[in-house]
Amino acid sequence: EKVLKKLKLNTNIGNEGGYAPDLKNDEQVLFLVNKAINQAGYRSGQQVKLALDVAAAEFYNKDNQSYELKSERRKLSTDDMIKMYKAWVRKFPIISIEDGLDQDDWEGWEQLTTAMGRKTMLVGDDLFVTDVERLGKGIANNVANAILIKVNQIGTVSETVDAIRLAQKSKYKVVISHRSGETTDDFISDLAVGSGAEFIKTGSTSRGERVVKYNRLMEIEDELK
């Protein structure tokens, strides 16, 4: 917030607890977050690393098969997107990219995984939708190397557990995730620990329905000693 205020940018909080100022381009976001990490007294790239949720399906134009960055007035091909991600990973301490391409751009996902999958976590959310069939297709085609898990995306806890087990069996990383319309229910913290997931994604520590998940994780830590 201090970094944004100094630049006279919007500091309103979104529904997941994060900021969404109007910036000149996407790379500026990474620069400002990195700056904030260091100004907060942490070592960027050592104590704090970055994870992106690109949500590429939101700006993919199926008619001309391009990714339209309207704020930058640019249209990128799949190859261009991959080149951009590779440049960002070299420049910033990015360890994870979620939904870097459209959910039906399977060939593009294969290219992305071949190009970056050894060093970067490539997470499927819209790509896999917590569904064992889509995850199975991804595994068979060497697409992505991690899955985002949302209980109410697939509908039942049993189906959720099936997706987690298939991912783990196939050596895919598991990220247990919140949704945008969250409540103060903290079940996903228990699910993350109980399932042996490597990560949890639950928003910023600035709203009650987000903070409650972190509090529950600390309670679980105390319970497990």
Side-chain angles (χ1 to χ4, degrees), residues 13-216:
I13 295 291
N15 67 359
E16 293 181 12
Y19 300 106
D22 188 13
L23 302 175
K24 62 182 181 181
N25 58 45
D26 294 323
E27 190 169 314
Q28 191 181 7
V29 178
L30 301 172
F31 174 79
L32 292 177
V33 171
N34 220 36
K35 187 175 182 179
I37 291 167
N38 292 317
Q39 286 190 12
Y42 297 100
R43 293 189 298 279
S44 177
Q46 296 178 43
Q47 292 171 299
V48 182
K49 297 182 182 181
L50 305 182
L52 309 184
D53 178 1
V54 179
E58 298 298 319
F59 54 92
Y60 182 64
N61 187 323
K62 287 183 170 60
D63 294 331
N64 59 26
Q65 296 183 323
S66 69
Y67 294 88
E68 299 184 349
L69 307 183
K70 291 181 180 178
S71 64
E72 300 180 31
R73 298 179 182 177
R74 289 200 293 160
K75 291 182 180 180
L76 303 182
S77 66
T78 294
D79 286 342
D80 293 333
M81 291 288 284
I82 294 171
K83 287 176 185 174
M84 181 175 71
Y85 296 143
K86 290 174 78 172
W88 284 355
V89 167
R90 285 193 297 268
K91 206 168 183 180
F92 302 98
I94 296 167
I95 60 168
S96 174
I97 299 174
E98 175 188 330
D99 281 349
L101 297 171
D102 183 71
Q103 65 241 31
D104 294 317
D105 188 2
W106 287 96
E107 288 185 15
W109 270 97
E110 284 186 55
Q111 290 176 244
L112 177 62
T113 307
T114 299
M116 301 185 67
R118 288 185 181 179
K119 294 184 178 180
T120 306
M121 193 163 79
L122 302 172
V123 186
D125 173 18
D126 295 336
L127 178 69
F128 294 140
V129 290
T130 318
D131 179 80
V132 293
E133 287 189 17
R134 285 188 69 94
L135 175 59
K137 181 177 178 178
I139 293 165
N141 291 285
N142 189 36
V143 161
N145 54 27
I147 182 173
L148 202 75
I149 296 289
K150 296 172 175 172
V151 181
N152 69 345
Q153 188 177 51
I154 190 61
T156 69
V157 175
S158 298
E159 290 170 299
T160 302
V161 171
D162 288 343
I164 292 171
R165 285 175 175 165
L166 177 59
Q168 291 173 330
K169 181 181 177 184
S170 305
K171 301 290 190 282
Y172 274 49
K173 301 288 186 185
V174 173
V175 184
I176 305 297
S177 177
H178 64 179
R179 302 302 298 270
S180 294
E182 270 293 342
T183 70
T184 53
D185 186 283
D186 58 14
F187 167 71
I188 64 169
S189 297
D190 291 82
L191 179 64
V193 177
S195 66
E198 287 87 355
F199 300 94
I200 188 169
K201 176 186 177 184
T202 188
S204 170
T205 55
S206 65
R207 291 172 61 101
E209 75 275 12
R210 312 288 158 189
V211 174
V212 69
K213 276 74 166 176
Y214 297 108
N215 287 342
R216 178 59 188 146

